[in-house]
Amino acid sequence: MHSDNEVQSESRQEPPAPAELSGLKQFQSAGRGFWHDVPDHDWNDWKWQLKNRITNLTQLQRLMPTLTPEEFAGTKLADHKLALAITPYFFNLIDPADENCPIRRQMIPRVEETHVASWEMSDPCGEDSHSPVPGLVHRYPDRVLFLVTDRCASYCRYCTRSRLVSNATGYDFHPEFDKQIAYIAAHPEIRDVLLSGGDPLLFSDEKLEYLLSRLRAIPHVEFLRIGTRIPIFLPQRITPELCAMLKQFHPLFLSIHSNHPRELTTEVREALGRLADAGIPLGNQSVLLKHVNDDATIMQAHMQKLLMCRVKPYYLYQCDLIAGSAHLRASVRSGLEIMEKLRGHTTGYAVPTYVIDAPGGGGKVPVSPEYVLSRDADRVVIRNYEGKIFEYPEAADGSPLTAPPVTIVEPELA
Ligand code: SF4
């Protein structure tokens, strides 16, 4: 049923085929793959997973003889840009028979990483220029980014902080916790601290507890957040002990980072369930990546699957202009088309905010398909997700109308 204000219809967007969508949303274990003879107590030990990461060309060739010439050359050069590291657990999600496997594209270096355009940057979000003390980024008025480490469980080839993480470029990152904490304590306007890196959940429980306690002791810090990809790369790290420690610091939110529904395995669902049971609100950040998730059906499946894991899709990022990332960057146009196919077509909770981090350090700018078609003297003309057009009577200055709108406006769709 439509409202009286409906004045025009457009053809309806076709929803994804249900079979394809439900196939993408199946939860599967990553399995043991090449590590089938490893005892359970090792496989389920996050420290064993870290010790046994794939970090060099020889290991990679042995495990994946299907390496392409582009991947071979990229891996040889990786140590000069961003190290190669993949946990055995996450490696099992790669399909060695598929050159375009979405996990493979995110993890295996390619020679295209050495192709750098003049508009690409090593610090596309301008973090270093907003850093009052090493490891602290104060870009927005009431919150700071607290970088705690340059290490991650695995390295993403599109990482916006690849200048820093893994120390492949010799950035030599040394956060100084005392100085970072002193800055926060001296700035009462900072009410929100986001711990990130690198990945804070690589710290031991004790070290993380020490940092969180010191931050919690600052009276004006209302809200703590941790940005982490550990639940995706290393779900074994999400132990009951870690969850019990984290729950002392509420309100504490966790932003995870996943890009494709295949990353949401049964192991990940269980790890996220432990965090949610500890009362930790969970959000997800995805990066829009070419041939990984720049497809409306994949994105919808991913967003719906996140909700099934008790995670709210938070941001969808346009891939930053990080040097050597052109082969992974999907277009803004494709991002807008995907958002168009999400909004209204699925649960509002499943719709992230699509943002571009303004190149050079302008902060996050939300971008969205246009739903306000025009603002006239006596109405705002809008369209819904089906392309149907409606009018909201209102004077141009925002005040209520004293007489009904008189003329019918039928604008062209943008
Ligand atoms: S986990 Fe995050 S910080 Fe680490 S490489 Fe991936 S995107 Fe970068």
Side-chain angles (χ1 to χ4, degrees), residues 86-108:
I86 312 172
T87 56
Y89 159 84
F90 200 67
F91 188 86
N92 277 344
L93 296 181
I94 293 178
D95 181 352
D98 178 7
E99 199 183 318
N100 286 314
C101 163
I103 310 299
R104 181 168 174 165
R105 284 183 64 79
Q106 295 179 63
M107 290 291 115
I108 309 290

Side-chain angles (χ1 to χ4, degrees), residues 152 154-156 158-159 165 197-199 229 233 257:
C152 300
S154 305
Y155 293 111
C156 315
Y158 53 85
C159 178
V165 299
D199 205 313
R229 217 179 167 191
F233 286 148
H257 170 179

Side-chain angles (χ1 to χ4, degrees), residues 318-339:
Q318 179 61 25
C319 188
D320 292 325
L321 295 172
I322 189 75
S325 65
H327 61 295
L328 284 169
R329 292 201 304 269
S331 64
V332 175
R333 182 192 181 101
S334 68
L336 288 170
E337 284 170 4
I338 287 170
M339 292 307 295

Side-chain angles (χ1 to χ4, degrees), residues 258-311:
S258 71
N259 294 320
H260 189 277
R262 200 190 293 173
E263 295 169 33
L264 302 175
T265 60
T266 49
E267 292 90 331
V268 167
R269 182 175 56 182
E270 284 166 22
L272 295 170
R274 288 193 286 278
L275 289 163
D277 286 346
I280 300 169
L282 301 171
N284 182 70
Q285 313 192 93
S286 290
V287 181
L288 183 67
L289 295 169
K290 197 193 276 183
H291 304 318
V292 173
N293 57 12
D294 59 336
D295 172 281
T297 303
I298 290 171
M299 191 65 78
Q300 189 174 123
H302 185 211
M303 299 297 114
Q304 293 176 353
K305 211 173 170 186
L306 282 164
L307 291 186
M308 292 158 78
C309 295
R310 305 159 71 181
V311 180

Side-chain angles (χ1 to χ4, degrees), residues 185-326:
H187 287 78
E189 72 276 17
I190 297 171
R191 42 162 290 284
D192 171 3
V193 178
L194 168 59
L195 271 66
S196 185
D199 205 313
L201 294 192
L202 277 186
F203 280 3
S204 67
D205 292 0
E206 293 72 26
K207 190 165 178 180
L208 202 49
E209 184 171 15
Y210 166 77
L211 264 185
L212 291 169
S213 310
R214 289 197 60 190
L215 291 168
R216 258 284 155 261
I218 301 172
H220 53 263
V221 173
E222 299 169 2
F223 181 59
L224 295 170
R225 292 187 277 168
I226 297 176
T228 175
R229 217 179 167 191
I230 287 274
I232 302 299
F233 286 148
L234 190 61
Q236 297 81 359
R237 170 70 184 102
I238 311 301
T239 60
E241 294 75 22
L242 174 71
C243 296
M245 184 276 286
L246 292 175
K247 77 186 281 194
Q248 303 173 88
F249 298 102
H250 286 315
L252 169 73
F253 281 43
L254 218 81
S255 290
I256 67 161
H257 170 179
S258 71
N259 294 320
H260 189 277
R262 200 190 293 173
E263 295 169 33
L264 302 175
T265 60
T266 49
E267 292 90 331
V268 167
R269 182 175 56 182
E270 284 166 22
L272 295 170
R274 288 193 286 278
L275 289 163
D277 286 346
I280 300 169
L282 301 171
N284 182 70
Q285 313 192 93
S286 290
V287 181
L288 183 67
L289 295 169
K290 197 193 276 183
H291 304 318
V292 173
N293 57 12
D294 59 336
D295 172 281
T297 303
I298 290 171
M299 191 65 78
Q300 189 174 123
H302 185 211
M303 299 297 114
Q304 293 176 353
K305 211 173 170 186
L306 282 164
L307 291 186
M308 292 158 78
C309 295
R310 305 159 71 181
V311 180
K312 162 79 182 89
Y314 178 34
Y315 281 128
L316 171 63
Y317 286 96
Q318 179 61 25
C319 188
D320 292 325
L321 295 172
I322 189 75
S325 65

